[in-house]
Amino acid sequence: MKVTLFATCLVDMFKSDVGKATVELLERLGCEIDFPESQVCCGQPTYNSGYVEEAKPAMKQMIDTFQHAEYVVSPSGSCAYMFHEYQHIFKDDPVYGPKAQELAAKTYELTEFIVDVLKIEDVGATFPGKVTYHTSCHMTRLLGVREAPITLLKNVKGLEYIELPGKENCCGFGGTFSVKMGQISEQMVNEKVQHVEETGADYLIGADASCLMNIGGRITRQGKPIKVMHIAEVLNSRA
């Protein structure tokens, strides 16, 4: 099975270890990985700020870049969802409308792909420690991926899973929301960190680098002894 990796901007620029873990994990599960270097930003920050037309050139490039992929997999529920949103953005475009529908149909978030397409619930990972999991908004509410990451985590050898109180609450990032509504965002992430601390977990796990950077930054500023990791890194762990 050939998988084309949609790495995302944050993974490419800030969280390269997540990209590496994603590739190693998928290869271990029998996938052949392709990485088209022509991929750019999916246009989500611009689109969510209301600049729809300005975002379309980047979106069209991404549609063309992944046009010949068999499966598109991303270690980000938020960015994977944006590919699904393209079909609505270009619904009246005679050229890019059909292409956008095809892209949406073959695009998956990493854990969704492993569980729903590869039909694997135990990836053979070993990760000793107490962990809790943050359910990012776009991945859960819009993409609809809820059970796959939890299923995979619960099958990791040595891992003790603790459910996060108020898991349905946003961490306060929301892309440009954290910039435009800084004070509100701060209170939201403070609440999230408090809930993480209440679990007694050693690790906070998530599937979106953006949320993890936001929560992790607050954890660091508050001096909490909680480590933050992307789920790809946990699932790729063998020790």
Side-chain angles (χ1 to χ4, degrees), residues 11 31 80 104 138-139 173 215:
V11 168
C31 298
H138 279 185
M139 179 167 162
F173 180 66
I215 305 169

Side-chain angles (χ1 to χ4, degrees), residues 12-70:
D12 183 38
M13 293 186 286
F14 299 109
K15 298 289 184 180
S16 59
D17 285 347
V18 174
K20 180 180 178 182
T22 300
V23 171
E24 290 178 350
L25 173 61
L26 289 173
E27 285 182 339
R28 183 156 52 81
L29 297 178
C31 298
E32 177 187 349
I33 309 301
D34 171 48
F35 180 79
E37 295 186 3
S38 58
Q39 59 184 284
V40 294
C41 177
C42 65
Q44 183 176 166
T46 309
Y47 174 71
N48 286 348
S49 295
Y51 298 99
V52 179
E53 293 303 318
E54 290 82 352
K56 283 184 177 180
M59 295 178 188
K60 288 181 178 179
Q61 178 163 335
M62 291 297 264
I63 292 172
D64 291 336
T65 295
F66 291 94
Q67 183 175 357
H68 301 294
E70 182 179 350

